[in-house]
Amino acid sequence: GTKRGILERLDDGEVIVGDGGFVWALEKRGYVKVGEWTPEACIENPEAVRQLHREFLRAGADTMQSFSFYASDDRLGKGENEADSKFTRINKAACNLAKEVATEGDCITIGGLTQTPTYLSGAGKKATQEQFRKQAEVLVNNNMDVLLCEYFERLEEIEWAIEVCKTFGKPIAATMCIGPDGDLMNNSTGDCAVRMVKAGADIIGINCKFDPFVCLEGMRKMKAGLDAAGLRAHLMVQPLAFLTPDANKHGYTDLPEFPFALEPRLVTRWDMHRFAREAYEMGIRYIGGCCGCEPYHIRAVAEELAKERGKLPKGSEKHDMWGQGLRMHTKTWVRARADRRYWEELRPSSGRPLSASMSKPDE
Amino acid sequence: GTKRGILERLDDGEVIVGDGGFVWALEKRGYVKVGEWTPEACIENPEAVRQLHREFLRAGADTMQSFSFYASDDRLGKGENEADSKFTRINKAACNLAKEVATEGDCITIGGLTQTPTYLSGAGKKATQEQFRKQAEVLVNNNMDVLLCEYFERLEEIEWAIEVCKTFGKPIAATMCIGPDGDLMNNSTGDCAVRMVKAGADIIGINCKFDPFVCLEGMRKMKAGLDAAGLRAHLMVQPLAFLTPDANKHGYTDLPEFPFALEPRLVTRWDMHRFAREAYEMGIRYIGGCCGCEPYHIRAVAEELAKERGKLPKGSEKHDMWGQGLRMHTKTWVRARADRRYWEELRPSSGRPLSASMSKPDE
Amino acid sequence: GTKRGILERLDDGEVIVGDGGFVWALEKRGYVKVGEWTPEACIENPEAVRQLHREFLRAGADTMQSFSFYASDDRLGKGENEADSKFTRINKAACNLAKEVATEGDCITIGGLTQTPTYLSGAGKKATQEQFRKQAEVLVNNNMDVLLCEYFERLEEIEWAIEVCKTFGKPIAATMCIGPDGDLMNNSTGDCAVRMVKAGADIIGINCKFDPFVCLEGMRKMKAGLDAAGLRAHLMVQPLAFLTPDANKHGYTDLPEFPFALEPRLVTRWDMHRFAREAYEMGIRYIGGCCGCEPYHIRAVAEELAKERGKLPKGSEKHDMWGQGLRMHTKTWVRARADRRYWEELRPSSGRPLSASMSKPDE
Amino acid sequence: GTKRGILERLDDGEVIVGDGGFVWALEKRGYVKVGEWTPEACIENPEAVRQLHREFLRAGADTMQSFSFYASDDRLGKGENEADSKFTRINKAACNLAKEVATEGDCITIGGLTQTPTYLSGAGKKATQEQFRKQAEVLVNNNMDVLLCEYFERLEEIEWAIEVCKTFGKPIAATMCIGPDGDLMNNSTGDCAVRMVKAGADIIGINCKFDPFVCLEGMRKMKAGLDAAGLRAHLMVQPLAFLTPDANKHGYTDLPEFPFALEPRLVTRWDMHRFAREAYEMGIRYIGGCCGCEPYHIRAVAEELAKERGKLPKGSEKHDMWGQGLRMHTKTWVRARADRRYWEELRPSSGRPLSASMSKPDE
């Protein structure tokens, strides 16, 4: 039989579990450099990238997203002939790694494009779209099932990206890295949703820069925007795994802890359960994670929605839900933690008596 | 030339960087089950274990420790013939994985033994030592360079373990999972040090259950104990990567957040810098990590001591120290974070306004 | 010469400093009972009430408000002949105490009325206004300069109160105990302002139930409401001296700490400086305090606005601004605190490592 | 009948409830200046001092302590003839105010002496004792029942003070402002207790500078010191009403919040209940408060020990214990707070999301 596409699956009401945050997970593992954030690891240490793909597969991900973050030609550097440029080699390798692991499951491959230095430099629509065209081409030539425009801070730029992707005949997903207060050009979050759909995106939503619950607030605005405009689209959300109730419009980059001291903000698996449930109840059906999301966070999404999906992920072999693995612990007070309410209600301490709970964003 | 052994290297004043926490890192990746904490992954998903070894090697580890935590025969289950028992297969596979990656660097292999259910059941010295003999045998037969008795909560049991290991003619390291207040049998931390050395350990110290700075407090007591007794030994420390200022004598297991909501307590790389420096200044020369330690934590140890060691780890290709990788960031206020003092002085917020900083340990 | 009235003084652009929170200050001193909150102290312990009036006068207050909080006839109990009822005796005593101390300075006397059980019982407009009429009468008969309708949670009830007061020919001030999200009948904060003015209030604003900065957010909405309606009125604000960023629409009563564990939320004198400045800049000219406000909080308001008012309060004899009294301290590090920026920037710790910074309101 | 003295009452096992913190309470009311901390209010605003005495009496205090803090001749300034010097006038007025209110109850009057600039200047024993002699004389001449040497940071100085007081034939109480780690001359807390008793004190203990629970830790050391030395004495404790788990040996003065931002550290009445119970159980029978202690804190001590004392304070007319006054509140969730366990278990939030729970002491 033929593999069913993402749109068919979403149309049928399936829950699609996304994968998690490659840049951050691989930074901790030693393969990505903060400040550059680029995916040279695809050609330098493919085994590390492949292993992370496998972990997300095992955690229940239905998508394998090419590790092509920030891999636009204008960011990776020039000076090489196009046929074998760094740009081409990295994107191609990223696609091949995603495809390889996708075939180990029944995964949809996602080719990702992101915002570009060309746009920011003010070079205009034509030059910017040329960047998107280049990247979409290499993703499509390497057989990605879906094109995903993600991590855009400005509506205009993602519209241009969607327009370009539209010409390739693939399903298009589009997510901006914004919260409920709109994009950096003062477009409201609702308007962003409307215009992404009008530009041609099949699936729209939010990724990165805000925590799961702030992202859901943003999604509520997107949904309301679409409703008000009489539009419909599939919804997706891939949030940070860092709590950011104190972030301003720029998201976590303006928090003083970014990027090297975000540890105390890391969400627990129980936060992800709550997020997955709330996202589902809001009608979002493509639910994954972004920066900070480790495989166990994605597994928590898949476990929370196990009934709706009719299955548990492979990785649940090594995980009893809601702490049930503690039932046999030698200490009675640890056994008492084998309890769903215990973990749902726990407010975990930071172990940091000299730290506050909130920061004032820089600017 | 012959590979120099751990004792020769320590005698020469070398700093040995240990590796980090396999159980916890692999739990997050989906390969270890909380409650069991056993290393079946060595035979079930060897590629995941191998990859983690490689990451620690890349991070600067001088040791490759067999992932044989809790892999004693009495814990893994019986009913199989010894030659190919689960016990033998897992320990053998663990040794082979450690050796394989050790040869990719210039690493010392460490075979680890831990406390046993047999001891706790009260079966006595002979039965307990039989467990240790079995495990030491398989580790030695599979060519581990060093035997490490680690994660012992009671002095008597580690003495028994050291005695057994002593018969195999390998260098012996021994670490208890205690803090400054002594073991669970009310032996003082200083006495623990003295008796581990008297039992035959060449290298002694502390691993797990307390945060880096609490462990160093314990190490101060160990050192003082040895000094008072006129004894000398090499010192090592492999702490948790979770902050536990509020832990009681039982360590982090009694904290309400254990084991599924410790995220806000996770140490930053900068905490590890400070830890490595303080450990070094105290005269400790084998410095690694335990539960919660990811490759980037170990890299921070290696980077802090780069001058003393005369080298940076391979993984520093992807890391500029003290945030220097932010110097070119597009936002001035993020560029301002490319500064050592900034990170040294930052008190990172938790993003959790409903959480406290400390917990009351359960009991 | 004749004493100038409150409206003339406000018309001339004077800053009127209000007094602080009698109920709470006298509860701590042992004269008011939590749960009842009524001012029997006026007849039982007049010296304690008089002393507190004097302290606020000394702190810089331009108003002496009768301690007649919750002293409506329907709340104080019946069964006595009107001429010498508890209701009459308390209100009369309250007025006399306020007048007595007012004459020691150049103070305006304020007679206060608050929301009534009669309204809440649904007895209707006539019965409710009868309560207000009774209370206004006793206040006017005892020569209060101004009638202040304060601590109303519902717009309709304060409109009825203002209407009644209007018939007595005195200047009328009116404040609701609401924040920026409107009253308990779902009237917006802006609408509340508009309708209080339309009902006849000369001075309007907010008192109690929210912290100084939340109250100012509410005041911004009131101002915007008036502007939009093309109305003008004098503005006043008398906030809690407890920080309540986490309060819901019901204010501090729904916080779990109310009323016996609000101590950690108590504002500092420096918080009051900032509040006074922001209130002034917003155009508010009657600035005082409510529950929790001690004399030193009011002195901070008067000190912050000393230049605008052309004078310091008497109580500043015992206070050097911005910690200047520490300049001669024996310890250098305490001397370093004789510095305005030090106190402006300090984020004071709670000394409560088991407490969070925010609570979830009950409901 | 004759009034029974403090020693007879303590010998009979009575609980003596002390009064609270005059300096701080009167600072907030506008009568004491930070930095000087001296009691000119006794002559400048006697009605304010008298009122505070009355509030403590009403709260249950069995002692009326002359408000003569820091009122030594060397601190108050010279240049006047002894007979009517500022020193004499203030101390005399302080005694008269204490006596006046003491006669309204059945209170013991306490004349207080504190550490002197003369000692700190190194002028030696003779000059220092001359200061103490002068102050004790005026206190005794004005009929104080007990001499209390309090707020001493150095053992030697309090020994000198006790020696002087001894010559006046009055019962002597002596408290140092130290915690469990000893005085500023490196005498242990236990030794301080022993030597105060040997110098002639009848009642010894700790006052000020540390929170109730840290003071009790200190008291445990004092008691153990006396036991080890085979000595007996009556015990007293009068702690801060500010939580100081993070203070160093210098107490709260080294905390960054001292003296103008200690509000979030203020203890609740429930903290005082727990303190009173623990103090009582430790065998301490003179239990009061120091800086920060308001009348309601003292009432909490008297209420907690109501059964042991066989009476409730007068001020309990206006206070139902453990929140019982909330039983009739209109909101069910506030009524639910009329419950002892609710208040015992509540961890009150600070409302300060940008603040930490602990500070690093300055030095």
Side-chain angles (χ1 to χ4, degrees):
Chain A
T2 337
K3 198 171 90 166
R4 289 162 60 241
I6 193 165
L7 297 180
E8 292 157 280
R9 290 171 69 170
L10 289 169
D11 286 342
D12 287 354
E14 259 184 58
V15 177
I16 303 292
V17 174
D19 53 11
F22 272 67
V23 174
W24 284 71
L26 291 172
E27 198 278 335
K28 292 189 203 160
R29 299 182 186 192
Y31 302 103
V32 166
K33 190 165 182 173
V34 165
E36 302 185 350
W37 314 106
T38 41
E40 285 82 355
C42 292
I43 51 176
E44 293 169 354
N45 296 89
E47 77 291 351
V49 178
R50 183 184 297 112
Q51 172 62 26
L52 185 55
H53 274 303
R54 282 195 176 128
E55 293 171 15
F56 283 120
L57 173 63
R58 184 174 167 82
D62 295 308
T63 63
M64 286 295 117
Q65 185 173 333
S66 63
F67 180 37
S68 52
F69 185 77
Y70 262 18
S72 58
D73 197 29
D74 55 353
R75 200 179 288 272
L76 289 170
K78 295 278 175 52
E80 306 174 67
N81 60 324
E82 171 120 352
D84 195 34
S85 68
K86 198 175 166 193
F87 162 75
T88 310
R89 282 183 297 128
I90 289 175
N91 278 282
K92 189 173 174 178
C95 292
N96 285 340
L97 287 160
K99 272 187 299 182
E100 176 188 347
V101 182
T103 58
E104 298 173 11
D106 178 31
C107 293
I108 301 154
T109 53
I110 313 276
L113 303 86
T114 49
Q115 60 188 6
T116 58
T118 300
Y119 178 84
L120 258 197
S121 73
K125 184 165 182 176
K126 197 174 157 212
T128 303
Q129 289 196 323
E130 174 59 17
Q131 288 297 324
F132 294 135
R133 191 199 54 73
K134 269 195 202 175
Q135 202 175 351
E137 203 168 65
V138 67
L139 297 169
V140 170
N141 287 347
N142 287 284
N143 298 310
M144 293 294 99
D145 297 329
V146 177
L147 288 176
L148 166 61
C149 307
E150 69 166 0
Y151 198 77
F152 282 78
E153 290 171 296
R154 291 166 187 85
L155 175 55
E156 183 184 53
E157 191 181 5
I158 199 169
E159 287 181 306
W160 295 355
I162 295 167
E163 281 175 23
V164 169
C165 290
K166 203 70 194 158
T167 65
F168 287 86
K170 297 274 185 182
I172 298 173
T175 55
M176 296 186 71
C177 49
I178 62 176
D181 297 329
D183 83 343
L184 295 193
M185 307 298 276
N186 293 319
N187 297 293
S188 78
T189 302
D191 285 350
C192 289
V194 167
R195 286 172 50 186
M196 286 194 285
V197 173
K198 287 189 173 164
D202 303 295
I203 309 166
I204 61 133
I206 287 174
N207 80 301
C208 205
K209 286 217 154 181
F210 295 91
D211 76 31
F213 308 103
V214 176
C215 281
L216 290 184
E217 272 186 73
M219 291 303 295
R220 262 176 220 109
K221 303 251 174 171
M222 286 203 166
K223 232 184 119 175
L226 294 184
D227 286 351
L231 292 172
R232 285 185 59 83
H234 294 295
L235 300 175
M236 71 181 283
V237 63
Q238 306 212 89
L240 289 186
F242 303 112
L243 293 170
T244 62
D246 39 0
N248 63 13
K249 208 173 166 178
H250 291 252
Y252 76 148
T253 45
D254 273 13
L255 292 175
E257 294 83 8
F258 175 88
F260 293 121
L262 289 161
E263 279 84 349
R265 297 176 179 268
L266 199 56
V267 306
T268 66
R269 60 196 77 195
W270 319 120
D271 293 321
M272 290 304 280
H273 272 269
R274 182 157 71 88
F275 156 69
R277 178 56 51 197
E278 291 182 14
Y280 181 83
E281 283 172 359
M282 201 186 292
I284 303 169
R285 289 294 177 271
Y286 182 163
I287 305 171
C290 201
C291 297
C293 265
E294 297 280 345
Y296 77 107
H297 291 114
I298 294 300
R299 183 176 60 194
V301 171
E303 288 185 344
E304 174 65 28
L305 299 172
K307 206 172 148 193
E308 287 78 5
R309 287 160 50 82
K311 62 181 173 189
L312 274 172
K314 177 84 175 143
S316 295
E317 288 170 7
K318 295 291 181 185
H319 192 244
D320 293 323
M321 264 201 277
W322 297 111
Q324 293 308 307
L326 300 173
R327 268 174 313 180
M328 309 293 288
H329 198 278
T330 51
K331 293 179 177 177
T332 52
W333 54 94
V334 179
R335 283 204 294 279
R337 298 176 197 157
D339 178 71
R340 177 171 176 155
R341 274 195 60 177
Y342 179 86
W343 294 108
E344 281 182 336
E345 292 180 3
L346 185 74
R347 309 275 192 210
S349 296
S350 68
R352 289 171 162 87
L354 299 174
S355 284
S357 66
M358 303 266 233
S359 291
K360 225 173 179 152
D362 287 338
E363 203 177 325
Chain B
T2 337
K3 195 171 92 167
R4 290 162 60 239
I6 193 166
L7 298 179
E8 292 158 279
R9 289 171 68 170
L10 288 169
D11 287 342
D12 287 355
E14 257 184 59
V15 176
I16 302 293
V17 173
D19 53 11
F22 272 66
V23 175
W24 284 71
L26 290 172
E27 198 278 334
K28 292 189 203 159
R29 298 182 188 191
Y31 302 104
V32 166
K33 189 164 182 175
V34 165
E36 302 184 351
W37 314 105
T38 42
E40 285 82 355
C42 292
I43 51 176
E44 293 170 353
N45 296 90
E47 78 291 352
V49 179
R50 182 185 298 112
Q51 172 62 25
L52 186 55
H53 275 302
R54 281 196 177 127
E55 292 170 15
F56 283 120
L57 172 63
R58 184 172 167 83
D62 295 307
T63 63
M64 284 296 118
Q65 186 174 331
S66 63
F67 180 37
S68 52
F69 183 78
Y70 262 19
S72 59
D73 197 27
D74 56 352
R75 200 179 288 272
L76 289 170
K78 293 280 173 50
E80 306 175 66
N81 61 324
E82 171 118 353
D84 194 32
S85 70
K86 198 173 164 192
F87 162 75
T88 310
R89 281 182 297 128
I90 289 175
N91 278 282
K92 189 172 173 176
C95 292
N96 286 341
L97 287 161
K99 272 188 300 185
E100 177 189 345
V101 181
T103 58
E104 298 174 9
D106 179 30
C107 293
I108 300 154
T109 54
I110 312 276
L113 304 85
T114 49
Q115 60 187 6
T116 59
T118 299
Y119 177 85
L120 257 199
S121 73
K125 184 165 184 176
K126 197 173 157 215
T128 304
Q129 288 196 324
E130 175 58 16
Q131 289 297 324
F132 294 136
R133 189 199 56 73
K134 270 196 201 173
Q135 202 175 353
E137 205 168 64
V138 67
L139 297 169
V140 171
N141 287 348
N142 286 285
N143 299 308
M144 294 295 98
D145 297 328
V146 178
L147 289 176
L148 166 62
C149 306
E150 70 166 358
Y151 199 77
F152 283 78
E153 291 170 295
R154 291 167 186 85
L155 176 54
E156 185 183 53
E157 192 181 4
I158 200 170
E159 287 181 307
W160 295 355
I162 295 167
E163 282 175 23
V164 169
C165 290
K166 202 70 195 159
T167 65
F168 288 85
K170 295 278 184 181
I172 299 173
T175 55
M176 296 184 72
C177 48
I178 62 176
D181 297 329
D183 83 344
L184 295 193
M185 309 295 277
N186 294 319
N187 297 291
S188 78
T189 303
D191 286 350
C192 289
V194 167
R195 284 171 52 185
M196 286 194 285
V197 172
K198 287 189 174 164
D202 303 295
I203 309 165
I204 61 134
I206 286 173
N207 80 300
C208 207
K209 286 217 153 182
F210 294 92
D211 77 31
F213 308 102
V214 176
C215 282
L216 290 183
E217 273 187 74
M219 291 303 297
R220 263 176 218 107
K221 303 252 174 171
M222 287 204 164
K223 233 185 116 175
L226 294 183
D227 286 351
L231 291 172
R232 283 185 60 83
H234 295 295
L235 300 175
M236 71 181 283
V237 64
Q238 305 212 91
L240 291 185
F242 303 112
L243 293 170
T244 63
D246 39 0
N248 63 14
K249 209 174 166 176
H250 291 253
Y252 76 148
T253 45
D254 275 13
L255 292 175
E257 293 84 8
F258 176 88
F260 293 120
L262 289 161
E263 279 83 350
R265 297 175 178 269
L266 200 57
V267 305
T268 67
R269 59 196 76 196
W270 319 119
D271 293 321
M272 290 305 280
H273 271 269
R274 182 158 72 88
F275 156 70
R277 178 56 52 199
E278 291 182 16
Y280 181 84
E281 282 172 2
M282 200 187 294
I284 303 169
R285 289 293 178 271
Y286 183 163
I287 304 170
C290 201
C291 297
C293 266
E294 298 280 346
Y296 78 106
H297 290 115
I298 293 301
R299 182 176 62 194
V301 171
E303 287 185 345
E304 175 64 29
L305 299 172
K307 205 173 150 191
E308 287 78 5
R309 287 160 51 82
K311 61 181 172 191
L312 273 173
K314 177 83 173 140
S316 295
E317 288 170 6
K318 295 291 180 183
H319 192 244
D320 293 323
M321 265 201 276
W322 298 111
Q324 292 308 308
L326 301 173
R327 268 174 314 182
M328 309 294 288
H329 198 279
T330 50
K331 292 179 178 177
T332 52
W333 53 94
V334 178
R335 284 204 293 280
R337 299 175 196 158
D339 177 69
R340 177 172 176 154
R341 276 195 61 175
Y342 179 86
W343 295 108
E344 282 182 335
E345 293 181 2
L346 184 73
R347 310 275 191 209
S349 297
S350 67
R352 288 171 163 88
L354 299 174
S355 285
S357 67
M358 303 266 233
S359 291
K360 226 175 178 150
D362 288 337
E363 203 178 324
Chain C
T2 337
K3 198 171 91 169
R4 290 162 59 241
I6 193 166
L7 297 180
E8 291 157 280
R9 289 170 70 170
L10 289 169
D11 287 342
D12 287 355
E14 258 185 58
V15 177
I16 304 292
V17 173
D19 52 11
F22 273 67
V23 175
W24 283 71
L26 290 172
E27 197 279 334
K28 292 189 202 159
R29 298 181 187 193
Y31 302 104
V32 166
K33 189 164 181 172
V34 166
E36 302 184 350
W37 313 106
T38 43
E40 285 82 355
C42 292
I43 50 176
E44 293 170 352
N45 296 90
E47 77 292 351
V49 178
R50 183 184 298 110
Q51 173 62 26
L52 185 55
H53 275 302
R54 282 197 176 126
E55 293 170 14
F56 283 120
L57 173 63
R58 184 173 167 81
D62 295 307
T63 64
M64 285 295 117
Q65 185 173 331
S66 64
F67 179 38
S68 52
F69 184 78
Y70 261 18
S72 57
D73 197 29
D74 56 352
R75 200 180 288 271
L76 289 171
K78 294 277 174 51
E80 306 173 68
N81 60 325
E82 170 121 350
D84 195 33
S85 68
K86 197 173 166 193
F87 162 74
T88 310
R89 283 184 294 128
I90 289 176
N91 278 283
K92 190 173 171 175
C95 292
N96 286 340
L97 287 160
K99 271 188 300 184
E100 177 188 345
V101 181
T103 59
E104 298 173 12
D106 179 30
C107 292
I108 302 154
T109 53
I110 312 275
L113 304 86
T114 48
Q115 59 188 6
T116 59
T118 300
Y119 177 85
L120 257 198
S121 73
K125 184 166 183 176
K126 198 176 156 210
T128 304
Q129 288 196 324
E130 175 58 17
Q131 289 296 325
F132 295 136
R133 189 200 53 77
K134 272 196 200 173
Q135 202 175 352
E137 205 167 63
V138 68
L139 297 169
V140 170
N141 287 347
N142 286 285
N143 297 311
M144 294 293 99
D145 298 328
V146 177
L147 288 176
L148 167 61
C149 306
E150 69 166 0
Y151 198 76
F152 283 79
E153 291 169 294
R154 290 166 188 84
L155 176 54
E156 185 184 50
E157 191 180 5
I158 200 169
E159 287 180 308
W160 294 355
I162 295 168
E163 282 174 22
V164 169
C165 291
K166 202 70 194 158
T167 65
F168 288 87
K170 297 275 184 182
I172 299 173
T175 55
M176 296 184 72
C177 50
I178 61 175
D181 297 328
D183 82 344
L184 295 193
M185 308 296 276
N186 294 319
N187 296 293
S188 78
T189 302
D191 285 350
C192 289
V194 167
R195 285 172 50 185
M196 286 193 285
V197 173
K198 287 189 173 166
D202 304 295
I203 309 165
I204 61 134
I206 287 173
N207 81 300
C208 205
K209 286 218 153 182
F210 294 91
D211 77 31
F213 309 102
V214 176
C215 281
L216 290 184
E217 272 185 74
M219 291 303 295
R220 262 175 220 108
K221 303 250 174 172
M222 286 204 166
K223 232 184 118 175
L226 294 183
D227 285 350
L231 292 172
R232 285 185 59 83
H234 294 296
L235 300 176
M236 70 180 284
V237 64
Q238 306 211 91
L240 290 185
F242 303 112
L243 293 170
T244 63
D246 38 0
N248 64 15
K249 208 172 166 178
H250 291 252
Y252 76 148
T253 45
D254 274 12
L255 292 175
E257 293 84 8
F258 176 88
F260 293 122
L262 289 161
E263 280 83 348
R265 296 177 179 268
L266 200 56
V267 305
T268 67
R269 59 197 77 195
W270 318 120
D271 292 321
M272 290 304 279
H273 271 269
R274 182 157 70 87
F275 156 69
R277 178 56 51 198
E278 290 183 15
Y280 181 84
E281 284 173 359
M282 203 187 292
I284 303 169
R285 288 295 177 271
Y286 183 164
I287 305 171
C290 201
C291 297
C293 265
E294 299 280 345
Y296 78 106
H297 291 114
I298 293 300
R299 183 177 60 195
V301 171
E303 288 186 344
E304 174 64 28
L305 299 172
K307 206 173 149 190
E308 286 78 4
R309 286 160 50 83
K311 61 181 172 190
L312 273 172
K314 177 84 173 141
S316 295
E317 288 170 7
K318 297 290 181 186
H319 193 243
D320 293 324
M321 265 201 278
W322 297 112
Q324 291 309 307
L326 301 173
R327 268 173 314 180
M328 308 294 287
H329 198 279
T330 51
K331 293 179 178 177
T332 52
W333 53 94
V334 178
R335 283 203 295 279
R337 298 176 198 157
D339 177 69
R340 177 173 178 153
R341 273 194 63 176
Y342 179 86
W343 295 107
E344 283 182 334
E345 293 181 0
L346 184 73
R347 309 275 191 210
S349 296
S350 67
R352 289 171 161 88
L354 298 175
S355 284
S357 67
M358 303 265 234
S359 291
K360 227 177 176 145
D362 287 338
E363 203 177 323
Chain D
T2 338
K3 197 172 91 168
R4 291 163 59 238
I6 194 166
L7 297 179
E8 291 158 279
R9 290 171 68 170
L10 288 168
D11 286 343
D12 287 354
E14 257 184 59
V15 177
I16 303 292
V17 173
D19 53 9
F22 272 67
V23 176
W24 283 71
L26 290 172
E27 198 278 334
K28 291 190 204 160
R29 298 182 188 192
Y31 302 104
V32 166
K33 189 163 182 176
V34 165
E36 302 183 352
W37 313 105
T38 41
E40 285 83 355
C42 292
I43 51 176
E44 294 170 352
N45 296 90
E47 78 291 351
V49 178
R50 183 184 300 112
Q51 172 62 26
L52 186 55
H53 275 302
R54 283 197 176 126
E55 293 170 14
F56 283 120
L57 173 63
R58 183 174 168 82
D62 295 307
T63 65
M64 284 295 117
Q65 185 173 332
S66 63
F67 180 37
S68 52
F69 185 78
Y70 262 17
S72 59
D73 197 30
D74 56 351
R75 200 180 288 272
L76 289 171
K78 294 280 173 49
E80 305 174 67
N81 61 326
E82 172 119 352
D84 195 34
S85 68
K86 197 174 166 193
F87 162 75
T88 310
R89 283 184 295 128
I90 289 175
N91 278 282
K92 190 172 173 177
C95 292
N96 286 340
L97 287 161
K99 271 188 299 184
E100 176 189 346
V101 181
T103 59
E104 298 174 9
D106 178 30
C107 293
I108 301 153
T109 53
I110 312 275
L113 304 85
T114 48
Q115 59 188 6
T116 58
T118 301
Y119 178 85
L120 257 199
S121 74
K125 184 166 184 176
K126 198 174 155 214
T128 304
Q129 288 195 323
E130 176 57 16
Q131 288 297 324
F132 294 135
R133 189 199 55 74
K134 270 196 200 173
Q135 202 175 351
E137 205 167 63
V138 70
L139 297 169
V140 170
N141 287 347
N142 287 285
N143 298 310
M144 294 294 100
D145 299 328
V146 177
L147 289 175
L148 166 62
C149 306
E150 69 166 359
Y151 198 77
F152 283 78
E153 291 170 294
R154 291 167 187 83
L155 176 55
E156 185 183 52
E157 191 181 5
I158 200 170
E159 287 181 309
W160 295 355
I162 295 168
E163 282 175 21
V164 169
C165 290
K166 201 70 195 158
T167 65
F168 287 86
K170 296 276 184 181
I172 299 173
T175 55
M176 297 185 70
C177 49
I178 62 176
D181 297 329
D183 83 343
L184 295 193
M185 309 295 276
N186 293 320
N187 297 291
S188 78
T189 302
D191 286 349
C192 289
V194 167
R195 285 172 51 185
M196 285 194 286
V197 173
K198 288 189 172 164
D202 303 295
I203 309 165
I204 61 135
I206 287 173
N207 81 300
C208 206
K209 286 218 153 182
F210 294 91
D211 77 32
F213 309 102
V214 176
C215 282
L216 290 184
E217 273 187 75
M219 291 303 296
R220 263 176 218 108
K221 304 251 174 171
M222 287 205 165
K223 232 185 117 174
L226 295 183
D227 285 350
L231 291 172
R232 284 185 60 84
H234 294 296
L235 300 177
M236 72 180 282
V237 64
Q238 305 211 89
L240 290 185
F242 302 112
L243 293 170
T244 63
D246 40 359
N248 64 13
K249 209 174 167 175
H250 291 253
Y252 76 147
T253 45
D254 275 13
L255 292 176
E257 293 85 7
F258 175 87
F260 292 121
L262 289 161
E263 280 82 350
R265 296 176 178 269
L266 200 56
V267 305
T268 66
R269 60 197 76 197
W270 319 119
D271 293 321
M272 290 305 279
H273 272 269
R274 181 157 72 89
F275 156 69
R277 179 56 51 197
E278 291 183 14
Y280 181 82
E281 283 173 0
M282 202 188 291
I284 303 169
R285 289 294 177 271
Y286 184 164
I287 305 171
C290 201
C291 297
C293 266
E294 298 281 344
Y296 77 106
H297 291 113
I298 293 301
R299 182 177 60 193
V301 171
E303 288 185 344
E304 174 64 29
L305 299 172
K307 206 174 148 188
E308 288 79 4
R309 286 160 52 82
K311 61 179 174 193
L312 273 173
K314 178 82 174 142
S316 295
E317 288 170 7
K318 295 291 181 187
H319 192 243
D320 293 322
M321 264 201 278
W322 297 112
Q324 292 308 306
L326 301 173
R327 267 174 313 181
M328 310 294 288
H329 198 279
T330 50
K331 292 180 179 176
T332 52
W333 53 94
V334 179
R335 284 203 294 280
R337 298 175 197 156
D339 178 69
R340 177 172 177 154
R341 275 193 61 176
Y342 179 86
W343 295 108
E344 282 182 335
E345 292 180 2
L346 184 74
R347 311 274 192 211
S349 297
S350 67
R352 288 171 163 87
L354 299 174
S355 284
S357 66
M358 304 265 234
S359 291
K360 229 179 174 144
D362 287 339
E363 204 176 324

